[in-house]
Amino acid sequence: MRLTLISRDGCHLCEVAERTLDRIAPGQWARVDVDSSIELERDYGDRVPVVLLDGKEHGYWRIEEDRLLRDLARQPGEPRL
């Protein structure tokens, strides 16, 4: 999977991000609970939801759909604008 959503149960913005990813990339993303590890909590705890594309942070709090769709169209490893 190229997309990972780092989120938290009970987070309204996380629920919005999940619905957005379901709409624009159905079946192509995985959810990881930020509270599942100390490292995730330390790195992302105050910024959820966080979208990772190919393992790198793409954005947080709100999904920029146009930019995400454009970057998804690129091949893995191809530079992002």
Side-chain angles (χ1 to χ4, degrees):
M1 301 244 169
R2 295 185 64 196
L3 285 171
T4 303
L5 178 67
I6 300 173
S7 65
R8 158 181 291 129
D9 289 339
C11 164
H12 172 71
L13 288 178
C14 299
E15 293 168 2
V16 171
E18 289 177 19
R19 287 192 301 270
T20 300
L21 289 177
D22 276 341
R23 183 172 43 78
I24 66 173
Q28 297 178 34
W29 62 277
R31 180 187 183 271
V32 175
D33 189 332
V34 72
D35 298 316
S36 67
S37 84
I38 300 280
E39 292 82 18
L40 288 173
E41 173 62 36
R42 181 189 64 230
D43 293 344
Y44 303 111
D46 61 344
R47 295 185 292 138
V48 292
V50 178
V51 174
L52 305 179
L53 176 59
D54 298 327
K56 296 181 180 153
E57 188 173 318
H58 189 271
Y60 58 95
W61 291 335
R62 302 211 184 269
I63 295 175
E64 297 177 52
E65 288 185 45
D66 292 339
R67 186 170 70 95
L68 181 57
L69 288 169
R70 182 190 67 224
D71 291 344
L72 276 170
R74 300 181 198 291
Q75 294 299 315
E78 192 176 332
R80 296 182 208 157
L81 300 176

